[in-house]
Amino acid sequence: MTTAPPAMHTRSVARKRRLKLFVQSIQRAGFGADILIIDGSSALYDGEAPGSLRGSDAHVAELTQTKVVLVVDASAVQNSVIAIVKGFRQLQRGFEIPSVILNHVQ
């Protein structure tokens, strides 16, 4: 049986603790509020590493059980925006995308 090195275990525990504190701070900030807006920091599904959702805005939405309002830059697309939105909705797991805002529509 192999075990993880102590340093790896320490980093894992620290990461879980930071994540727990983050979720608790979101819960405190929204306590008693009718609405709470959490501004995403990057693309919805871009996590810490390729293929990982950890640390992504999707991961935060799932952890905090919040709905996502998807904002799509529609300046360079027309009908293709439907495929973009459909793709984002098909990938969602553990959270909802009930609304979409099309930005830069001409």
Side-chain angles (χ1 to χ4, degrees), residues 44-102:
L44 183 61
Y45 294 111
D46 293 346
E48 293 176 353
S52 171
L53 291 181
R54 182 184 298 218
S56 68
D57 294 339
H59 188 212
V60 172
E62 182 179 4
L63 291 173
T64 57
Q65 300 175 359
T66 53
K67 296 178 181 180
V68 171
V69 175
L70 184 65
V71 179
V72 178
D73 181 354
S75 62
V77 294
Q78 294 174 8
N79 294 336
S80 297
V81 76
I82 297 166
I84 293 168
V85 171
K86 188 173 182 178
F88 271 90
R89 285 193 165 155
Q90 285 179 344
L91 285 174
Q92 74 188 35
R93 299 288 185 272
F95 63 94
E96 290 182 65
I97 303 176
S99 303
V100 177
I101 296 173
L102 300 179

Short mmCIF file of all heavy atoms in Angstrom, two decimals, residues 44-102:
data_model
loop_
_atom_site.label_atom_id
_atom_site.label_comp_id
_atom_site.label_asym_id
_atom_site.label_seq_id
_atom_site.Cartn_x
_atom_site.Cartn_y
_atom_site.Cartn_z
N LEU A 44 -16.35 29.98 -17.37
CA LEU A 44 -17.13 29.15 -16.45
C LEU A 44 -16.49 27.80 -16.13
O LEU A 44 -16.47 27.38 -14.98
CB LEU A 44 -18.54 28.94 -17.04
CG LEU A 44 -19.53 28.16 -16.19
CD1 LEU A 44 -19.80 28.85 -14.86
CD2 LEU A 44 -20.83 27.98 -16.97
N TYR A 45 -15.96 27.12 -17.12
CA TYR A 45 -15.46 25.76 -16.92
C TYR A 45 -13.93 25.67 -16.83
O TYR A 45 -13.39 24.57 -16.84
CB TYR A 45 -15.97 24.84 -18.04
CG TYR A 45 -17.47 24.66 -18.00
CD1 TYR A 45 -18.28 25.20 -18.99
CD2 TYR A 45 -18.07 23.96 -16.96
CE1 TYR A 45 -19.65 25.02 -18.95
CE2 TYR A 45 -19.44 23.80 -16.91
CZ TYR A 45 -20.23 24.32 -17.91
OH TYR A 45 -21.58 24.16 -17.87
N ASP A 46 -13.22 26.78 -16.76
CA ASP A 46 -11.76 26.74 -16.69
C ASP A 46 -11.29 26.60 -15.25
O ASP A 46 -11.42 27.52 -14.45
CB ASP A 46 -11.14 27.99 -17.32
CG ASP A 46 -11.38 28.06 -18.82
OD1 ASP A 46 -11.78 27.02 -19.39
OD2 ASP A 46 -11.19 29.12 -19.41
N GLY A 47 -10.74 25.43 -14.93
CA GLY A 47 -10.29 25.15 -13.57
C GLY A 47 -8.79 25.32 -13.41
O GLY A 47 -8.12 25.95 -14.25
N GLU A 48 -8.26 24.70 -12.34
CA GLU A 48 -6.84 24.82 -12.03
C GLU A 48 -5.94 24.20 -13.08
O GLU A 48 -4.80 24.60 -13.25
CB GLU A 48 -6.55 24.14 -10.68
CG GLU A 48 -7.18 24.83 -9.49
CD GLU A 48 -6.97 24.07 -8.20
OE1 GLU A 48 -6.43 22.93 -8.23
OE2 GLU A 48 -7.31 24.61 -7.14
N ALA A 49 -6.45 23.17 -13.75
CA ALA A 49 -5.64 22.46 -14.75
C ALA A 49 -6.56 22.04 -15.90
O ALA A 49 -7.77 21.92 -15.73
CB ALA A 49 -4.99 21.24 -14.11
N PRO A 50 -5.99 21.80 -17.08
CA PRO A 50 -6.81 21.33 -18.20
C PRO A 50 -7.58 20.06 -17.83
O PRO A 50 -7.02 19.14 -17.23
CB PRO A 50 -5.77 21.04 -19.30
CG PRO A 50 -4.62 21.92 -18.96
CD PRO A 50 -4.59 21.97 -17.45
N GLY A 51 -8.87 20.06 -18.12
CA GLY A 51 -9.70 18.91 -17.81
C GLY A 51 -10.24 18.88 -16.39
O GLY A 51 -11.00 17.99 -16.03
N SER A 52 -9.86 19.85 -15.58
CA SER A 52 -10.32 19.89 -14.18
C SER A 52 -11.25 21.07 -13.96
O SER A 52 -11.00 22.16 -14.44
CB SER A 52 -9.11 20.03 -13.24
OG SER A 52 -9.55 20.28 -11.91
N LEU A 53 -12.33 20.84 -13.23
CA LEU A 53 -13.23 21.93 -12.86
C LEU A 53 -12.87 22.54 -11.52
O LEU A 53 -13.43 23.56 -11.13
CB LEU A 53 -14.68 21.43 -12.82
CG LEU A 53 -15.30 21.07 -14.17
CD1 LEU A 53 -16.73 20.60 -13.98
CD2 LEU A 53 -15.25 22.23 -15.13
N ARG A 54 -11.96 21.91 -10.78
CA ARG A 54 -11.58 22.42 -9.46
C ARG A 54 -11.10 23.85 -9.56
O ARG A 54 -10.23 24.19 -10.35
CB ARG A 54 -10.48 21.57 -8.85
CG ARG A 54 -10.09 22.03 -7.45
CD ARG A 54 -8.96 21.24 -6.94
NE ARG A 54 -9.37 19.84 -6.86
CZ ARG A 54 -9.02 19.03 -5.90
NH1 ARG A 54 -8.22 19.45 -4.95
NH2 ARG A 54 -9.43 17.79 -5.89
N GLY A 55 -11.72 24.72 -8.77
CA GLY A 55 -11.36 26.12 -8.76
C GLY A 55 -12.05 26.96 -9.83
O GLY A 55 -11.88 28.17 -9.87
N SER A 56 -12.84 26.32 -10.68
CA SER A 56 -13.53 27.06 -11.74
C SER A 56 -14.78 27.74 -11.17
O SER A 56 -15.24 27.44 -10.08
CB SER A 56 -13.94 26.11 -12.86
OG SER A 56 -14.95 25.22 -12.41
N ASP A 57 -15.35 28.63 -11.96
CA ASP A 57 -16.60 29.28 -11.56
C ASP A 57 -17.73 28.25 -11.46
O ASP A 57 -18.61 28.37 -10.61
CB ASP A 57 -16.97 30.39 -12.54
CG ASP A 57 -15.97 31.54 -12.52
OD1 ASP A 57 -15.25 31.69 -11.50
OD2 ASP A 57 -15.91 32.27 -13.51
N ALA A 58 -17.69 27.21 -12.31
CA ALA A 58 -18.68 26.13 -12.23
C ALA A 58 -18.57 25.40 -10.89
O ALA A 58 -19.57 25.06 -10.27
CB ALA A 58 -18.49 25.16 -13.39
N HIS A 59 -17.34 25.18 -10.44
CA HIS A 59 -17.10 24.52 -9.16
C HIS A 59 -17.65 25.36 -8.01
O HIS A 59 -18.31 24.85 -7.10
CB HIS A 59 -15.59 24.28 -9.01
CG HIS A 59 -15.21 23.46 -7.83
ND1 HIS A 59 -14.03 23.65 -7.16
CD2 HIS A 59 -15.84 22.44 -7.20
CE1 HIS A 59 -13.95 22.79 -6.17
NE2 HIS A 59 -15.04 22.04 -6.16
N VAL A 60 -17.42 26.66 -8.06
CA VAL A 60 -17.94 27.57 -7.03
C VAL A 60 -19.47 27.56 -7.03
O VAL A 60 -20.10 27.50 -5.97
CB VAL A 60 -17.40 29.00 -7.22
CG1 VAL A 60 -18.08 29.98 -6.28
CG2 VAL A 60 -15.89 29.04 -7.00
N ALA A 61 -20.08 27.59 -8.22
CA ALA A 61 -21.54 27.57 -8.32
C ALA A 61 -22.11 26.29 -7.72
O ALA A 61 -23.13 26.31 -7.02
CB ALA A 61 -21.98 27.71 -9.77
N GLU A 62 -21.44 25.19 -7.98
CA GLU A 62 -21.89 23.91 -7.42
C GLU A 62 -21.75 23.90 -5.90
O GLU A 62 -22.68 23.51 -5.19
CB GLU A 62 -21.09 22.76 -8.03
CG GLU A 62 -21.53 21.40 -7.54
CD GLU A 62 -20.75 20.27 -8.17
OE1 GLU A 62 -19.80 20.52 -8.94
OE2 GLU A 62 -21.08 19.12 -7.86
N LEU A 63 -20.61 24.34 -5.39
CA LEU A 63 -20.38 24.34 -3.95
C LEU A 63 -21.33 25.25 -3.19
O LEU A 63 -21.76 24.95 -2.09
CB LEU A 63 -18.93 24.75 -3.64
CG LEU A 63 -17.86 23.74 -4.04
CD1 LEU A 63 -16.48 24.36 -3.84
CD2 LEU A 63 -17.99 22.46 -3.23
N THR A 64 -21.62 26.40 -3.79
CA THR A 64 -22.48 27.39 -3.12
C THR A 64 -23.95 27.22 -3.48
O THR A 64 -24.79 27.96 -2.99
CB THR A 64 -22.02 28.82 -3.46
OG1 THR A 64 -22.06 28.98 -4.89
CG2 THR A 64 -20.64 29.11 -2.93
N GLN A 65 -24.23 26.27 -4.37
CA GLN A 65 -25.60 25.99 -4.81
C GLN A 65 -26.28 27.24 -5.35
O GLN A 65 -27.41 27.56 -5.02
CB GLN A 65 -26.41 25.37 -3.67
CG GLN A 65 -25.83 24.07 -3.18
CD GLN A 65 -26.56 23.52 -1.99
OE1 GLN A 65 -27.51 24.09 -1.49
NE2 GLN A 65 -26.11 22.37 -1.52
N THR A 66 -25.52 27.96 -6.19
CA THR A 66 -26.05 29.18 -6.79
C THR A 66 -26.31 28.97 -8.28
O THR A 66 -25.70 28.13 -8.92
CB THR A 66 -25.07 30.36 -6.62
OG1 THR A 66 -23.78 29.98 -7.11
CG2 THR A 66 -24.95 30.78 -5.18
N LYS A 67 -27.23 29.74 -8.81
CA LYS A 67 -27.53 29.70 -10.24
C LYS A 67 -26.55 30.59 -10.98
O LYS A 67 -26.03 31.55 -10.42
CB LYS A 67 -28.97 30.15 -10.49
CG LYS A 67 -29.98 29.22 -9.85
CD LYS A 67 -31.38 29.70 -10.06
CE LYS A 67 -32.35 28.74 -9.37
NZ LYS A 67 -33.73 29.16 -9.54
N VAL A 68 -26.32 30.27 -12.24
CA VAL A 68 -25.37 31.01 -13.05
C VAL A 68 -26.12 31.79 -14.13
O VAL A 68 -26.99 31.25 -14.80
CB VAL A 68 -24.36 30.04 -13.73
CG1 VAL A 68 -23.50 30.75 -14.75
CG2 VAL A 68 -23.50 29.35 -12.68
N VAL A 69 -25.79 33.06 -14.25
CA VAL A 69 -26.28 33.87 -15.37
C VAL A 69 -25.10 33.92 -16.35
O VAL A 69 -24.06 34.50 -16.06
CB VAL A 69 -26.69 35.29 -14.94
CG1 VAL A 69 -27.06 36.13 -16.15
CG2 VAL A 69 -27.82 35.24 -13.93
N LEU A 70 -25.27 33.26 -17.48
CA LEU A 70 -24.21 33.17 -18.48
C LEU A 70 -24.19 34.44 -19.32
O LEU A 70 -25.22 34.87 -19.84
CB LEU A 70 -24.47 31.94 -19.38
CG LEU A 70 -23.44 31.63 -20.43
CD1 LEU A 70 -22.11 31.23 -19.78
CD2 LEU A 70 -23.94 30.50 -21.33
N VAL A 71 -23.02 35.06 -19.42
CA VAL A 71 -22.86 36.26 -20.26
C VAL A 71 -22.00 35.85 -21.45
O VAL A 71 -20.87 35.40 -21.29
CB VAL A 71 -22.18 37.41 -19.47
CG1 VAL A 71 -22.01 38.63 -20.37
CG2 VAL A 71 -22.99 37.75 -18.23
N VAL A 72 -22.56 36.02 -22.65
CA VAL A 72 -21.88 35.60 -23.88
C VAL A 72 -21.58 36.82 -24.73
O VAL A 72 -22.47 37.63 -25.00
CB VAL A 72 -22.77 34.61 -24.68
CG1 VAL A 72 -22.07 34.21 -25.97
CG2 VAL A 72 -23.11 33.38 -23.85
N ASP A 73 -20.32 36.94 -25.16
CA ASP A 73 -19.93 37.99 -26.09
C ASP A 73 -20.43 37.59 -27.47
O ASP A 73 -19.90 36.67 -28.09
CB ASP A 73 -18.41 38.16 -26.10
CG ASP A 73 -17.94 39.27 -27.03
OD1 ASP A 73 -18.78 39.84 -27.77
OD2 ASP A 73 -16.74 39.56 -27.03
N ALA A 74 -21.46 38.26 -27.95
CA ALA A 74 -22.08 37.91 -29.23
C ALA A 74 -21.64 38.83 -30.36
O ALA A 74 -22.27 38.88 -31.41
CB ALA A 74 -23.60 37.93 -29.08
N SER A 75 -20.53 39.54 -30.17
CA SER A 75 -20.10 40.52 -31.17
C SER A 75 -19.66 39.89 -32.48
O SER A 75 -19.78 40.49 -33.53
CB SER A 75 -18.97 41.39 -30.61
OG SER A 75 -17.84 40.59 -30.30
N ALA A 76 -19.14 38.67 -32.44
CA ALA A 76 -18.61 38.05 -33.65
C ALA A 76 -19.46 36.88 -34.14
O ALA A 76 -19.04 36.15 -35.04
CB ALA A 76 -17.19 37.58 -33.40
N VAL A 77 -20.62 36.66 -33.54
CA VAL A 77 -21.46 35.53 -33.94
C VAL A 77 -22.90 35.99 -34.15
O VAL A 77 -23.30 37.04 -33.67
CB VAL A 77 -21.44 34.39 -32.89
CG1 VAL A 77 -20.07 33.77 -32.81
CG2 VAL A 77 -21.89 34.87 -31.53
N GLN A 78 -23.64 35.18 -34.85
CA GLN A 78 -25.08 35.44 -35.02
C GLN A 78 -25.83 34.21 -34.54
O GLN A 78 -26.04 34.05 -33.35
CB GLN A 78 -25.39 35.78 -36.46
CG GLN A 78 -24.77 37.10 -36.90
CD GLN A 78 -24.97 37.36 -38.38
OE1 GLN A 78 -25.69 36.65 -39.07
NE2 GLN A 78 -24.31 38.39 -38.89
N ASN A 79 -26.20 33.34 -35.45
CA ASN A 79 -26.95 32.14 -35.08
C ASN A 79 -26.11 31.16 -34.25
O ASN A 79 -26.66 30.34 -33.53
CB ASN A 79 -27.48 31.43 -36.33
CG ASN A 79 -28.52 32.27 -37.04
OD1 ASN A 79 -29.16 33.12 -36.44
ND2 ASN A 79 -28.68 32.04 -38.33
N SER A 80 -24.80 31.25 -34.36
CA SER A 80 -23.92 30.33 -33.61
C SER A 80 -24.03 30.52 -32.11
O SER A 80 -23.65 29.63 -31.35
CB SER A 80 -22.47 30.52 -34.04
OG SER A 80 -22.32 30.18 -35.40
N VAL A 81 -24.56 31.65 -31.68
CA VAL A 81 -24.69 31.88 -30.24
C VAL A 81 -25.61 30.83 -29.61
O VAL A 81 -25.44 30.46 -28.46
CB VAL A 81 -25.15 33.33 -29.93
CG1 VAL A 81 -26.63 33.51 -30.22
CG2 VAL A 81 -24.83 33.71 -28.51
N ILE A 82 -26.57 30.31 -30.39
CA ILE A 82 -27.47 29.28 -29.89
C ILE A 82 -26.66 28.02 -29.54
O ILE A 82 -26.86 27.41 -28.50
CB ILE A 82 -28.57 28.96 -30.93
CG1 ILE A 82 -29.43 30.20 -31.16
CG2 ILE A 82 -29.42 27.78 -30.49
CD1 ILE A 82 -30.31 30.12 -32.39
N ALA A 83 -25.74 27.65 -30.42
CA ALA A 83 -24.90 26.47 -30.17
C ALA A 83 -23.99 26.69 -28.96
O ALA A 83 -23.77 25.76 -28.17
CB ALA A 83 -24.07 26.16 -31.41
N ILE A 84 -23.48 27.88 -28.80
CA ILE A 84 -22.61 28.19 -27.66
C ILE A 84 -23.39 28.02 -26.36
O ILE A 84 -22.94 27.34 -25.43
CB ILE A 84 -22.04 29.62 -27.77
CG1 ILE A 84 -21.09 29.71 -28.96
CG2 ILE A 84 -21.35 30.04 -26.48
CD1 ILE A 84 -20.69 31.12 -29.35
N VAL A 85 -24.55 28.61 -26.28
CA VAL A 85 -25.37 28.53 -25.07
C VAL A 85 -25.79 27.08 -24.80
O VAL A 85 -25.72 26.60 -23.67
CB VAL A 85 -26.60 29.46 -25.16
CG1 VAL A 85 -27.56 29.23 -24.01
CG2 VAL A 85 -26.14 30.91 -25.21
N LYS A 86 -26.20 26.39 -25.85
CA LYS A 86 -26.61 24.99 -25.69
C LYS A 86 -25.45 24.14 -25.17
O LYS A 86 -25.63 23.29 -24.31
CB LYS A 86 -27.13 24.43 -27.01
CG LYS A 86 -27.74 23.06 -26.90
CD LYS A 86 -28.40 22.62 -28.19
CE LYS A 86 -29.05 21.25 -28.00
NZ LYS A 86 -29.73 20.82 -29.21
N GLY A 87 -24.26 24.39 -25.69
CA GLY A 87 -23.07 23.66 -25.22
C GLY A 87 -22.79 23.90 -23.74
O GLY A 87 -22.51 22.97 -22.98
N PHE A 88 -22.87 25.15 -23.31
CA PHE A 88 -22.65 25.47 -21.90
C PHE A 88 -23.69 24.77 -21.03
O PHE A 88 -23.38 24.24 -19.97
CB PHE A 88 -22.71 26.99 -21.66
CG PHE A 88 -21.39 27.66 -21.82
CD1 PHE A 88 -20.99 28.14 -23.06
CD2 PHE A 88 -20.55 27.84 -20.74
CE1 PHE A 88 -19.77 28.77 -23.21
CE2 PHE A 88 -19.33 28.47 -20.88
CZ PHE A 88 -18.93 28.93 -22.13
N ARG A 89 -24.93 24.76 -21.48
CA ARG A 89 -26.00 24.13 -20.69
C ARG A 89 -25.85 22.62 -20.65
O ARG A 89 -26.17 21.98 -19.66
CB ARG A 89 -27.37 24.53 -21.22
CG ARG A 89 -27.73 25.95 -20.82
CD ARG A 89 -29.17 26.24 -21.06
NE ARG A 89 -29.57 27.44 -20.35
CZ ARG A 89 -30.58 28.20 -20.72
NH1 ARG A 89 -31.31 27.86 -21.76
NH2 ARG A 89 -30.89 29.27 -20.03
N GLN A 90 -25.37 22.01 -21.72
CA GLN A 90 -25.19 20.56 -21.73
C GLN A 90 -24.05 20.12 -20.81
O GLN A 90 -24.08 19.02 -20.28
CB GLN A 90 -24.94 20.06 -23.16
CG GLN A 90 -26.18 20.02 -24.00
CD GLN A 90 -25.92 19.54 -25.42
OE1 GLN A 90 -24.79 19.50 -25.89
NE2 GLN A 90 -26.99 19.20 -26.11
N LEU A 91 -23.06 20.96 -20.63
CA LEU A 91 -21.93 20.63 -19.75
C LEU A 91 -22.22 20.82 -18.28
O LEU A 91 -21.52 20.28 -17.43
CB LEU A 91 -20.70 21.47 -20.12
CG LEU A 91 -19.96 21.07 -21.38
CD1 LEU A 91 -18.88 22.09 -21.70
CD2 LEU A 91 -19.36 19.69 -21.24
N GLN A 92 -23.26 21.57 -17.94
CA GLN A 92 -23.52 21.90 -16.53
C GLN A 92 -23.82 20.66 -15.72
O GLN A 92 -24.52 19.76 -16.14
CB GLN A 92 -24.64 22.93 -16.40
CG GLN A 92 -26.03 22.36 -16.66
CD GLN A 92 -27.09 23.44 -16.72
OE1 GLN A 92 -26.84 24.53 -17.18
NE2 GLN A 92 -28.26 23.11 -16.25
N ARG A 93 -23.26 20.60 -14.54
CA ARG A 93 -23.50 19.54 -13.57
C ARG A 93 -23.49 20.15 -12.18
O ARG A 93 -22.53 20.80 -11.78
CB ARG A 93 -22.40 18.46 -13.63
CG ARG A 93 -22.26 17.74 -14.94
CD ARG A 93 -23.43 16.79 -15.17
NE ARG A 93 -23.29 15.99 -16.36
CZ ARG A 93 -23.70 16.37 -17.57
NH1 ARG A 93 -24.26 17.53 -17.74
NH2 ARG A 93 -23.55 15.58 -18.62
N GLY A 94 -24.56 19.99 -11.45
CA GLY A 94 -24.59 20.46 -10.07
C GLY A 94 -25.01 21.90 -9.88
O GLY A 94 -24.95 22.42 -8.78
N PHE A 95 -25.39 22.58 -10.96
CA PHE A 95 -25.86 23.96 -10.87
C PHE A 95 -26.74 24.24 -12.07
O PHE A 95 -26.78 23.46 -13.01
CB PHE A 95 -24.69 24.96 -10.80
CG PHE A 95 -23.82 24.96 -12.02
CD1 PHE A 95 -24.06 25.85 -13.05
CD2 PHE A 95 -22.78 24.06 -12.14
CE1 PHE A 95 -23.26 25.84 -14.19
CE2 PHE A 95 -21.98 24.04 -13.26
CZ PHE A 95 -22.22 24.93 -14.28
N GLU A 96 -27.45 25.35 -12.04
CA GLU A 96 -28.35 25.73 -13.14
C GLU A 96 -27.83 26.95 -13.89
O GLU A 96 -27.17 27.81 -13.31
CB GLU A 96 -29.73 26.12 -12.59
CG GLU A 96 -30.55 25.00 -12.03
CD GLU A 96 -31.89 25.52 -11.56
OE1 GLU A 96 -32.68 25.98 -12.41
OE2 GLU A 96 -32.13 25.50 -10.34
N ILE A 97 -28.15 27.00 -15.18
CA ILE A 97 -27.93 28.22 -15.99
C ILE A 97 -29.31 28.63 -16.49
O ILE A 97 -29.69 28.33 -17.62
CB ILE A 97 -26.97 27.96 -17.17
CG1 ILE A 97 -25.64 27.41 -16.69
CG2 ILE A 97 -26.76 29.25 -17.96
CD1 ILE A 97 -24.67 27.05 -17.81
N PRO A 98 -30.10 29.34 -15.66
CA PRO A 98 -31.45 29.69 -16.06
C PRO A 98 -31.54 30.92 -16.96
O PRO A 98 -32.55 31.13 -17.62
CB PRO A 98 -32.15 29.97 -14.73
CG PRO A 98 -31.05 30.46 -13.84
CD PRO A 98 -29.82 29.70 -14.27
N SER A 99 -30.46 31.72 -17.00
CA SER A 99 -30.52 32.98 -17.75
C SER A 99 -29.25 33.20 -18.55
O SER A 99 -28.17 32.77 -18.15
CB SER A 99 -30.68 34.17 -16.79
OG SER A 99 -31.83 34.00 -16.01
N VAL A 100 -29.42 33.89 -19.67
CA VAL A 100 -28.29 34.22 -20.55
C VAL A 100 -28.38 35.68 -20.92
O VAL A 100 -29.46 36.19 -21.24
CB VAL A 100 -28.30 33.35 -21.82
CG1 VAL A 100 -27.16 33.74 -22.75
CG2 VAL A 100 -28.23 31.87 -21.49
N ILE A 101 -27.26 36.37 -20.87
CA ILE A 101 -27.16 37.75 -21.34
C ILE A 101 -26.26 37.76 -22.55
O ILE A 101 -25.13 37.28 -22.49
CB ILE A 101 -26.59 38.69 -20.24
CG1 ILE A 101 -27.52 38.75 -19.04
CG2 ILE A 101 -26.32 40.09 -20.82
CD1 ILE A 101 -26.96 39.51 -17.85
N LEU A 102 -26.77 38.29 -23.66
CA LEU A 102 -25.96 38.42 -24.88
C LEU A 102 -25.37 39.82 -24.89
O LEU A 102 -26.10 40.81 -24.95
CB LEU A 102 -26.81 38.17 -26.13
CG LEU A 102 -27.46 36.80 -26.23
CD1 LEU A 102 -28.29 36.68 -27.50
CD2 LEU A 102 -26.42 35.69 -26.15
#
